[in-house]
């Protein structure tokens, strides 16, 4: 349930976005009057910390960041995991959400399923949110809206593909997994999430997907987003086998904040929320 402050004299013109995962979380504050990002923080849990209960890790982190408990007009929580899929609205049945996910992830009867409706593109993001993190946040910050990271990612990528009839592949790179997206003029042709360990894993999935969609590595465009950098061996591997490799254009987003191009690429979803 969203938080709405109906008294205009008490409006803060501030919005808080928190992107949560099991490896940590990041958050930023928006000035909603000027549509700018005013602050940003990132909390990463170390490998030794990850053996602890996730609620305890979040509790400790929240004590170190009291700004999370400031007053905001709107709060959105973004769930970042690879437990999601997209379903066209014409084929979607709310009573069978688990069945859509079973083809690309292991699901259990006890899992909680939900969805985001992408009205402009007549489809839904079906996913498993972090229920324990939601429950923790309700106690800490009160009510909020929440959605999946891939809902924001796909909507923004489809927006940028408008009037472009060329098929384009976008990779959103994360530690341990990446999202692979193929779009053409606001149509989602393919979405998948792959776990990887080596650059060879990475290029295998890219070239296999390209082959399935009849995309020629000599001609199609690959755009990179997320944590990948030009000095990364994963970038070098992609550049070796695919002729047209570049980084996703974040220049318009960068006009709203003072962060570097690399930070805007890494935190693209959070900054677009």
């Amino acid at each position: 349930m969203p938080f709405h402050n109906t008294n205009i004299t008490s409006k803060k013109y501030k919005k808080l976005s928190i992107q949560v995962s099991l490896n940590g979380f990041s958050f930023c504050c928006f000035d909603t009057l000027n549509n700018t990002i005013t602050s940003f923080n990132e909390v990463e849990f170390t490998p030794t910390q990850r053996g602890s209960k996730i609620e305890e890790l979040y509790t400790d982190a929240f004590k170190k960041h009291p700004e999370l408990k400031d007053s905001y007009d709107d709060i959105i929580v973004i769930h970042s995991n690879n437990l999601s899929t997209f379903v066209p609205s014409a084929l979607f049945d709310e009573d069978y959400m688990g069945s859509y996910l079973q083809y690309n992830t292991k699901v259990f009867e006890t899992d909680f399923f939900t969805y985001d409706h992408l009205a402009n593109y007549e489809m839904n993001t079906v996913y498993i949110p972090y229920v324990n993190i939601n429950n923790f946040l309700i106690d800490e910050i009160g009510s909020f809206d929440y959605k999946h990271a891939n809902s924001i990612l796909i909507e923004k990528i489809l927006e940028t593909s408008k009037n472009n009839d060329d098929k384009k592949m976008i990779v959103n790179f994360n530690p341990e997994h990446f999202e692979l997206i193929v779009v053409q003029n606001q149509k989602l042709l393919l979405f998948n999430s792959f776990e990887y360990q080596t650059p060879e894993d990475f290029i295998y999935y890219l070239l296999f997907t390209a082959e399935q969609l009849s995309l020629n590595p000599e001609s199609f465009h690959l755009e990179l987003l997320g944590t990948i950098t030009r000095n990364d061996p994963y970038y070098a591997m992609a550049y070796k086998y695919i002729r047209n490799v570049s980084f996703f254009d974040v220049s318009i987003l960068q006009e709203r904040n003072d962060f570097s191009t690399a930070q805007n690429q890494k935190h693209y979803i959070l900054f677009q929320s």
Side-chain angles (χ1 to χ4, degrees), residues 209-221:
T209 300
E211 181 182 18
Q212 298 303 304
L213 295 181
S214 300
L215 298 175
N216 186 343
E218 290 292 315
S219 58
F220 84 85
H221 287 263

Side-chain angles (χ1 to χ4, degrees), residues 195-246:
E195 295 180 354
Y196 68 89
Q197 293 182 332
T198 68
E200 288 75 17
D201 295 339
F202 179 55
I203 195 62
Y204 169 80
Y205 289 124
L206 264 60
L207 294 178
F208 178 79
T209 300
E211 181 182 18
Q212 298 303 304
L213 295 181
S214 300
L215 298 175
N216 186 343
E218 290 292 315
S219 58
F220 84 85
H221 287 263
L222 170 65
E223 297 186 6
L224 303 173
L225 193 60
T227 58
I228 194 169
T229 65
R230 197 173 296 274
N231 298 324
D232 200 307
Y234 293 90
Y235 174 87
M237 183 65 76
Y239 192 79
K240 179 179 179 180
Y241 289 96
I242 299 172
R243 179 176 291 275
N244 300 300
V245 181
S246 61

Side-chain angles (χ1 to χ4, degrees), residues 14-15 28-31 36-40 256-257 259:
K14 291 168 60 180
K15 173 184 170 182
C28 64
C29 181
F30 295 86
D31 175 344
T36 57
I37 299 169
T38 57
S39 63
F40 162 75
R256 297 168 48 200
N257 61 66
F259 303 109

Side-chain angles (χ1 to χ4, degrees), residues 150-172:
N150 290 334
S151 297
I152 299 170
L153 177 66
I154 291 299
E155 282 191 308
K156 295 302 177 183
I157 286 176
L158 287 173
E159 283 178 17
T160 64
S161 72
K162 187 176 181 179
N163 297 325
N164 185 351
D165 287 324
D166 294 329
K167 293 178 183 178
K168 182 169 64 173
M169 182 183 292
I170 300 98
V171 166
N172 183 49

Side-chain angles (χ1 to χ4, degrees), residues 28-187:
C28 64
C29 181
F30 295 86
D31 175 344
T32 56
L33 269 181
N34 299 303
N35 192 30
T36 57
I37 299 169
T38 57
S39 63
F40 162 75
N41 276 286
E42 185 175 14
V43 177
E44 294 184 359
F45 302 144
T46 65
T48 54
Q49 284 180 303
R50 292 172 197 169
S52 304
K53 287 186 65 175
I54 193 69
E55 295 90 342
E56 294 173 357
L57 297 177
Y58 272 80
T59 297
D60 291 342
F62 264 61
K63 290 177 182 177
K64 298 173 183 176
H65 296 281
E67 63 269 34
L68 286 164
K69 293 190 177 183
D70 285 350
S71 295
Y72 297 95
D73 302 313
D74 293 291
I75 300 175
I76 181 169
V77 175
I78 307 158
H79 289 260
S80 184
N81 59 33
N82 58 351
L83 307 175
S84 70
T85 192
F86 291 91
V87 182
S89 295
L91 303 176
F92 179 69
D93 188 329
E94 192 173 344
D95 293 329
Y96 296 95
M97 288 190 286
S99 63
Y100 302 120
L101 279 169
Q102 68 182 358
Y103 296 106
N104 59 4
T105 190
K106 191 172 184 178
V107 299
F108 301 93
E109 289 185 5
T110 54
D111 285 334
F112 174 74
F113 306 103
T114 189
Y115 69 97
D116 301 328
H117 181 51
L118 281 58
N120 290 339
Y121 302 104
E122 297 183 353
M123 61 182 178
N124 300 284
T125 314
V126 179
Y127 63 99
I128 302 174
Y130 296 117
V131 175
N132 52 344
I133 296 177
N134 270 356
N135 291 338
F136 165 82
L137 292 172
I138 288 172
D139 292 337
E140 290 290 325
I141 60 177
S143 58
F144 51 84
D145 278 335
Y146 68 92
K147 61 173 58 178
H148 199 275
N150 290 334
S151 297
I152 299 170
L153 177 66
I154 291 299
E155 282 191 308
K156 295 302 177 183
I157 286 176
L158 287 173
E159 283 178 17
T160 64
S161 72
K162 187 176 181 179
N163 297 325
N164 185 351
D165 287 324
D166 294 329
K167 293 178 183 178
K168 182 169 64 173
M169 182 183 292
I170 300 98
V171 166
N172 183 49
F173 204 79
N174 300 283
E176 300 176 0
H177 77 272
F178 65 89
E179 284 75 48
L180 196 156
I181 303 128
V182 180
V183 296
Q184 180 184 34
N185 196 5
Q186 293 192 292
K187 292 182 180 179

